[in-house]
Amino acid sequence: QQVKSDGAIHLHTRSLKYGKLNNGVFLSVPASLIKRCKNHFHILPCGVHIILGNNGYIWLQSKRKVPEKKKSSKEEVKSKVKNITTPEEREKICRVRNSIVVLSKMSIAIYAETVMDVYKQSRELGLSARDILDPEMRQRVTQTAMQRQHVQKM
C-alpha cells in the first residue's frame, strides 16, 4: 500500500481472486458516471466478469476460474489460472463493452443493472455488438436504463 502526494492510495493485493488481469478489455469512462456501490466486482448474468473502478476505469473479461487451493508451486497455479477465451465469450465481452460506451455517451450512470439493461435491449432488438454503437440506435438501446435512472432519482 502506498499513499501518493496527490492523495491517491494504491492498494496491492496478493490473492489469486484479484490476480493478474488477462484475456479481457480495458476501457475508461468519466469517473462521475460510475455509481458507487458496496461491491464493484460483478459477474453479469451473461457470464462476463466486470470490475468498475471509482476512477472511471473498467475491466471486462470472461468469468474467471479461480484454481482450487492445493499445495503447489507458483508456476502450477499460474498455469491453472490461464483461460482461453472462446469466440462466443469475446462476443459477449464486446457487447458489454459497447453497452458501457453507449451509456457513457448518453451520460447514464454505469453499474451492473444499467449495463445489463442495454445488453438485453440490444439482444431483443437483434443488434450485433457493433450495431450498438450506431448513433441512431443509442436512444433505443438505452431506453430501459434511462427509465431505471429516472425512477431512482425520484
Side-chain angles (χ1 to χ4, degrees), residues 29-36 53-56 107-110 149:
V29 298
S32 61
L33 293 178
I34 302 292
K35 182 179 177 185
R36 295 197 184 270
N54 286 329
N55 59 358
S107 299
I108 298 172
I110 298 170
Q149 190 174 18

Side-chain angles (χ1 to χ4, degrees), residues 19-30:
K20 183 178 176 184
L21 301 175
N22 56 13
N23 294 334
V25 175
F26 169 81
L27 66 147
S28 180
V29 298

Side-chain angles (χ1 to χ4, degrees), residues 16-70:
L16 287 175
K17 182 179 177 185
Y18 306 110
K20 183 178 176 184
L21 301 175
N22 56 13
N23 294 334
V25 175
F26 169 81
L27 66 147
S28 180
V29 298
S32 61
L33 293 178
I34 302 292
K35 182 179 177 185
R36 295 197 184 270
C37 303
K38 184 177 180 181
N39 185 7
H40 287 269
F41 292 75
H42 303 279
I43 298 175
L44 301 176
C46 60
V48 175
H49 186 247
I50 182 171
I51 302 172
L52 299 167
N54 286 329
N55 59 358
Y57 291 171
I58 300 173
W59 179 256
L60 305 169
Q61 68 185 50
S62 60
K63 188 175 177 181
R64 294 163 147 190
K65 296 172 186 161
V66 179
E68 295 176 18
K69 293 183 181 180
K70 294 182 181 178

Side-chain angles (χ1 to χ4, degrees), residues 79-132:
S79 68
K80 291 177 185 176
V81 172
K82 290 183 182 177
N83 294 328
I84 296 176
T85 308
T86 65
E88 294 80 22
E89 291 172 327
R90 286 189 198 134
E91 193 274 332
K92 289 178 184 177
I93 291 169
C94 289
R95 187 175 293 275
V96 170
R97 179 220 178 258
N98 291 349
S99 298
I100 292 169
V101 170
V102 168
L103 287 168
S104 175
K105 290 184 186 278
M106 298 293 287
S107 299
I108 298 172
I110 298 170
Y111 52 100
E113 289 81 9
T114 56
V115 172
M116 282 310 298
D117 287 342
V118 175
Y119 183 94
K120 289 176 185 174
Q121 190 72 25
S122 70
R123 297 287 303 243
E124 289 172 8
L125 293 171
L127 300 174
S128 69
R130 176 185 288 173
D131 293 337
I132 298 170

Side-chain angles (χ1 to χ4, degrees), residues 116-152:
M116 282 310 298
D117 287 342
V118 175
Y119 183 94
K120 289 176 185 174
Q121 190 72 25
S122 70
R123 297 287 303 243
E124 289 172 8
L125 293 171
L127 300 174
S128 69
R130 176 185 288 173
D131 293 337
I132 298 170
L133 298 176
D134 184 2
E136 296 173 4
M137 298 307 291
R138 286 183 197 160
Q139 192 73 30
R140 292 180 69 187
V141 296
T142 57
Q143 283 179 346
T144 310
M146 282 183 180
Q147 290 171 354
R148 182 184 297 273
Q149 190 174 18
H150 291 303
V151 168
Q152 288 185 348

